[in-house]
Amino acid sequence: MENSAPAAELLSPYEQIGAREGITRVVERFYDLMDTDPAYADLRAMHAADLGPMRASLAGFLSGWAGGPRDWFDANPGKCMMSMHSGFTITRETAQQWVQAMERAFADCGMADHPVALLMNERFRMMAGGMAGAPLDG
C-alpha cells in the first residue's frame, strides 16, 4: 500500500523551515535585533560583547531541537536550554524581550505564519516563562 500523506508531512520541522540555512537566517536576525534594537537592551546586557559563540550555539541547538543534526546535543550531553541559562537572573521582562525578538526574527525571515515557526514560538514562550518563573503575555 502506498503512503498517501503529502510530502510536507513527511519532512521534519527542521526541513520544513529551510534546514540549517533557514535556522541560521532566523538566529542571525534574532541576534542582530538584540544587538541593535533598544527594545531589547536589557536582554542584550545579559550577553557577552561577542555574540558569535551564542549565534553558533543557538543555531546548533535549534537545528537538533527541530529534528536536524544533533551535533549541539552530542557536544553538550545532558544539557538543555533551561540548564544552559540556570546561572542567569531572567526576569519576566527579559524573557518577554527574548520571545518578542525571536518572533520578529521569524517574521523578518518571511516565516511569521509558518506552522513550524508558530509552534516553535509557542514553545519558546513556554520555556522563557518557565525560566522567568511566570507565564508570559501573548
Side-chain angles (χ1 to χ4, degrees):
M1 182 174 189
E2 204 171 306
N3 186 344
S4 61
E9 289 181 26
L10 301 176
L11 298 175
S12 69
Y14 172 79
E15 294 165 322
Q16 289 181 48
I17 60 171
R20 184 66 176 205
E21 180 182 321
I23 287 190
T24 298
R25 280 187 308 125
V26 170
V27 168
E28 291 296 322
R29 182 64 184 142
F30 168 78
Y31 281 110
D32 289 348
L33 286 167
M34 191 178 79
D35 202 29
T36 61
D37 191 322
Y40 310 117
D42 293 338
L43 178 64
R44 178 63 181 97
M46 296 173 67
H47 291 77
D50 179 7
L51 292 173
M54 293 305 305
R55 289 173 189 261
S57 184
L58 184 58
F61 173 83
L62 292 179
S63 290
W65 190 60
R70 299 195 48 86
D71 301 341
W72 186 92
F73 293 92
D74 293 341
N76 298 281
K79 295 192 179 175
C80 68
M81 206 44 57
M82 299 290 277
S83 65
M84 295 295 288
H85 291 83
S86 64
F88 293 95
T89 300
I90 298 174
T91 65
R92 192 170 186 278
E93 291 74 25
T94 54
Q96 190 72 42
Q97 287 178 21
W98 194 96
V99 170
Q100 289 171 348
M102 188 56 77
E103 288 172 345
R104 276 187 61 193
F106 273 105
D108 290 353
C109 291
M111 293 187 249
D113 296 322
H114 193 289
V116 171
L118 293 172
L119 182 60
M120 288 177 79
N121 281 320
E122 176 186 310
R123 297 301 182 240
F124 294 153
R125 183 171 300 284
M126 293 169 74
M127 282 191 294
M131 287 184 206
L136 301 182
D137 298 331

